[in-house]
Amino acid sequence: MTPLEILKEYWGYDSFRPRQEDIVNAALDDKDVLAILPTGGGKSVCFQVPSMIREGIAIVVTPLIALMKDQVQNLNDRGIKALCVNAGMSSREVELTLNNAAFGDFKFLYVSPERLGTRLFRNYLLEMNVSYIVVDEAHCISQWGYDFRPDYLQIGRIREMVDAPVIALTATATPQVAEDIMDRLGFKEKCLIKSGFERPNLSYIVRRTEDKLGQLLGICNGVPGTGIVYVRNRKKTEELAAFLASNGISSSFYHAGLGPDSRSDRQARWKDGRTRVMVCTNAFGMGIDKPDVRFVVHFDVPDSPEAYFQEAGRGGRDGKRSFAALLWNNTD
């Protein structure tokens, strides 16, 4: 089947978005490819379509368990056989899953970067017919990236064991980070495909104000629908969520200090609309695929322009009008 036929049959789309087809074709030509697409630009289709055409199983390295479970569920719902290995599984479940990946007819195996270094994973890897090595959130492998994770360096070693092309994907990478990603992933030749970053449905607002709380309340009351509010520290997530709740706005807070069950419960409640506004640190959001986020507010100034772009880009993935507001004053 052609890429377009696969896209139509499994995803129901009649055409690719800008640059998606170029990325798919590069992968089918056995090139290592780094794709830089805006948040909400349809990155997963870029590796899922070629993997459906190729024989074998694609190994997808992603840092977020919530995203893994979502994507595997999503693929299974489309009749595509996919598996994942995550931190919440017993060693027996992990072994069974890897056994299925090696000897069953599965198309995708999602793993966290920490798994790549384990002996069990490597033993099974040698038995797998690997179609592609997919690296999601690829900026995490670069020490110049805003979210460097040492476990990602294991991916370079996997390449030495498996002769399969790499498809690396990220929403944000400076030229320096892009070069570093391709070096660390051992690209046979450099291949970088980048789409335009304009998101016409997203309005960016930067507002200087001495009354951030008042402005935040105004946005929550003035823009209907789901929202995210980013702050810099954990304590403030709790304070702001309490402030919004006391003003009648359904809200919750999220940060890395919460236990895994609490985090996934809060995320689920926000995702299915039981909680309207999530107040969070940057621990929340990478891989959060909720299309109808109508506003993203930065109550504090983010770490870097790349981080801002990634976080603000979580608004309006359904293509409808959404707002990204950054509030600042003289103390920032």
Side-chain angles (χ1 to χ4, degrees):
M1 287 174 86
T2 67
L4 213 50
E5 286 167 344
I6 294 274
L7 185 71
K8 178 73 177 157
E9 179 170 337
Y10 290 98
W11 284 273
Y13 299 127
D14 291 315
S15 62
F16 285 100
R17 290 190 199 172
R19 306 315 305 264
Q20 279 181 333
E21 197 161 16
D22 299 339
I23 296 159
V24 168
N25 289 333
L28 289 171
D29 287 344
D30 276 346
K31 290 180 175 155
D32 295 326
V33 57
L34 169 58
I36 305 180
L37 294 175
T39 308
K43 295 200 295 273
S44 45
V45 160
C46 298
F47 69 83
Q48 287 169 346
V49 168
S51 302
M52 290 300 293
I53 292 173
R54 270 278 163 86
E55 263 187 35
I57 189 165
I59 292 175
V60 186
V61 183
T62 177
L64 284 168
I65 290 175
L67 174 72
M68 268 189 215
K69 291 178 177 168
D70 268 10
Q71 292 228 3
V72 168
Q73 185 63 53
N74 206 318
L75 288 165
N76 289 331
D77 291 347
R78 295 177 196 282
I80 297 168
K81 293 178 75 175
L83 299 158
C84 70
V85 174
N86 62 57
M89 295 165 72
S90 68
S91 51
R92 168 110 185 76
E93 289 171 320
V94 171
E95 179 138 18
L96 192 61
T97 303
L98 292 174
N99 192 33
N100 279 333
F103 304 111
D105 59 338
F106 286 84
K107 293 305 291 177
F108 297 93
L109 171 64
Y110 282 75
V111 291
S112 60
E114 304 82 49
R115 285 279 159 200
L116 304 175
T118 63
R119 182 177 293 148
L120 184 67
F121 178 79
R122 291 184 173 207
N123 288 345
Y124 275 108
L125 182 66
L126 296 170
E127 302 292 337
M128 290 180 206
N129 175 20
V130 179
S131 55
Y132 291 102
I133 299 166
V134 179
V135 185
D136 198 16
E137 308 292 353
H139 57 271
C140 293
I141 199 173
S142 170
Q143 62 204 20
W144 315 110
Y146 68 89
D147 195 16
F148 173 65
R149 301 189 182 205
D151 286 313
Y152 262 66
L153 299 174
Q154 299 278 358
I155 303 168
R157 296 185 192 135
I158 294 296
R159 284 224 72 177
E160 294 161 17
M161 299 172 65
V162 171
D163 185 26
V166 167
I167 305 172
L169 308 135
T170 179
T172 43
T174 61
Q176 182 186 26
V177 170
E179 281 294 316
D180 198 32
I181 291 169
M182 293 189 280
D183 285 342
R184 286 173 182 274
L185 290 174
F187 273 39
K188 291 176 180 134
E189 54 184 277
K190 301 281 167 78
C191 175
L192 168 61
I193 299 177
K194 201 170 173 176
S195 95
F197 281 84
E198 193 189 358
R199 299 273 307 282
N201 63 309
L202 208 50
S203 299
Y204 291 93
I205 299 145
V206 178
R207 189 165 286 167
R208 182 178 181 171
T209 173
E210 292 310 313
D211 178 20
K212 287 189 180 185
L213 289 173
Q215 288 286 345
L216 176 62
L217 211 49
I219 293 166
C220 293
N221 286 324
V223 181
T226 302
I228 304 174
V229 180
Y230 281 107
V231 296
R232 285 188 78 97
N233 68 52
R234 295 175 181 186
K235 188 162 173 266
K236 210 186 268 185
T237 63
E238 302 181 23
E239 290 168 357
L240 274 190
F243 166 76
L244 290 176
S246 70
N247 280 279
I249 290 161
S250 154
S251 61
S252 183
F253 64 88
Y254 185 107
H255 55 66
L258 297 168
D261 291 347
S262 179
R263 286 207 304 265
S264 81
D265 178 58
R266 281 161 199 243
Q267 189 171 310
R269 294 176 76 84
W270 175 79
K271 229 178 142 176
D272 63 22
R274 285 173 290 166
T275 300
R276 182 176 162 226
V277 177
M278 183 66 82
V279 185
C280 52
T281 60
N282 61 5
F284 181 76
M286 196 156 120
I288 299 292
D289 198 14
K290 184 169 168 62
D292 59 345
V293 176
R294 296 278 70 93
F295 61 91
V296 177
V297 177
H298 279 83
F299 197 84
D300 295 324
V301 177
D303 290 337
S304 65
E306 290 91 21
Y308 177 69
F309 187 73
Q310 180 109 351
E311 289 159 12
R314 297 191 173 118
R317 291 185 174 192
D318 54 6
K320 295 176 184 164
R321 163 69 62 226
S322 301
F323 299 90
L326 172 63
L327 307 177
W328 72 280
N329 58 33
N330 289 338
T331 61
D332 289 310

